[in-house]
Amino acid sequence: MLATTLGFLAAALLLVGELTHYLRLVDLDESVRQDIVQEAGELQRLAQRGPLGPDASPSEDLDATAEEPFTDVAQLFCTFMTTTVPGEHESILVLVDGEPAFEHADRSRFQLDAPATVAAVAERARPGRTVVFDHEQDGRALRLGVISVRLDEDPRQGYLVGGFDMSAQRDIVLASLWRYLVIAGLAMVVAGLAACVMVGRVTAPVTRLRPACVCTFRPRRRGLAQQLLDDLLAGGPPAGEGARMFSCPSHAVPGHRAP
């Protein structure tokens, strides 16, 4: 009974752990998508706001309004790069007319200006749209968000490329799953040992009383009347058998003489 209970508990812990980390992987994809949408929105608000002048703070409110809009796409990207810091597993690259212009090289763990990555962005990019696709670079699974930027006063086409290292983030989730399984296994071992000790102490008195409770059942002998009836129906017992069957040995009783 104890082993069955521990088995069901272990299965429940395993199921809960796997389900929780699966949901974390699903949330990871949704989190990356929201980050790309957020960067696209910030870049759009910055383009609508316009430059605030040389004395303005880079962290100025994006909802503020400048006197004139941006007329240079490179200036727009330069302002955006000074106000944006990529995450731990994120890198940002700016392409102007298909050529790398800006990159957070000193703040990222991986680079996006590799020729194969730039070629993949140029192939997937669409003017006026935000495109998200997966790309492999140096054995690393990346998710790239390509945000199109075009100003009326500047004929050049610009793209803001946000790259997210999905391999590293998935490895973190899987490492967390293995830690959970190890901790859950150790907890089950400790709980099993403690349960065995507790059950042994509770059932020890019952175990010691068990030999006194063992009963032996033997078949009951037929009654004397039933045996005589069977003998009579069969032709009667041998001579003198009936007298011996009814005779009982006398027991000597102190102070009493048999007649």
Side-chain angles (χ1 to χ4, degrees):
M1 184 63 181
L2 177 60
T4 303
T5 303
L6 292 177
F8 278 117
L9 181 58
L13 289 176
L14 179 62
L15 180 61
V16 170
E18 291 183 350
L19 180 61
T20 300
H21 287 80
Y22 171 76
L23 294 178
R24 287 186 59 185
L25 291 176
V26 174
D27 291 340
L28 176 61
D29 294 338
E30 180 64 20
S31 176
V32 169
R33 189 190 68 82
Q34 291 180 358
D35 289 343
I36 296 174
V37 172
Q38 180 181 355
E39 290 180 355
E42 292 177 355
L43 186 59
Q44 182 179 6
R45 290 196 301 271
L46 180 62
Q48 295 174 351
R49 186 197 71 181
L52 294 178
D55 298 333
S57 173
S59 60
E60 195 75 30
D61 186 6
L62 292 178
D63 293 332
T65 303
E67 296 181 356
E68 296 181 359
F70 282 102
T71 58
D72 190 322
V73 68
Q75 182 185 9
L76 170 62
F77 281 127
C78 182
T79 304
F80 179 80
M81 297 291 277
T82 58
T83 59
T84 302
V85 178
E88 181 180 2
H89 303 286
E90 178 186 4
S91 184
I92 297 178
L93 173 67
V94 171
L95 299 179
V96 177
D97 280 345
E99 298 295 332
F102 305 99
E103 184 178 18
H104 278 288
D106 56 336
R107 300 176 180 176
S108 61
R109 297 177 178 270
F110 57 96
Q111 311 297 321
L112 294 177
D113 57 352
T117 303
V118 174
V121 171
E123 180 181 358
R124 297 291 189 91
R126 297 293 182 270
R129 296 178 55 187
T130 298
V131 180
V132 180
F133 64 95
D134 293 332
H135 176 70
E136 185 175 350
Q137 174 181 299
D138 298 331
R140 188 193 308 264
L142 303 179
R143 180 155 298 172
L144 303 180
V146 184
I147 304 171
S148 174
V149 178
R150 187 72 178 267
L151 301 177
D152 295 336
E153 294 80 3
D154 192 339
R156 294 177 297 177
Q157 175 66 51
Y159 292 102
L160 177 69
V161 183
F164 299 86
D165 189 350
M166 303 300 293
S167 295
Q169 299 184 70
R170 288 168 181 165
D171 290 342
I172 292 176
V173 176
L174 294 178
S176 175
L177 175 60
W178 283 113
R179 288 195 298 269
Y180 170 84
L181 293 177
V182 171
I183 294 174
L186 293 177
M188 288 300 303
V189 171
V190 173
L193 294 176
C196 290
V197 172
M198 295 300 296
V199 171
R201 290 183 177 181
V202 171
T203 59
V206 179
T207 304
R208 288 194 295 267
L209 292 175
R210 182 179 299 173
C213 298
V214 176
C215 300
T216 303
F217 296 93
R218 298 177 180 176
R220 187 176 181 181
R221 292 186 298 180
R222 294 184 304 171
L224 183 59
Q226 182 66 35
Q227 183 176 356
L228 290 175
L229 179 60
D230 293 342
D231 291 339
L232 290 175
L233 293 177
E241 185 67 20
R244 287 196 299 271
M245 294 180 63
F246 284 100
S247 65
C248 297
S250 60
H251 298 276
V253 178
H256 176 72
R257 178 181 297 176

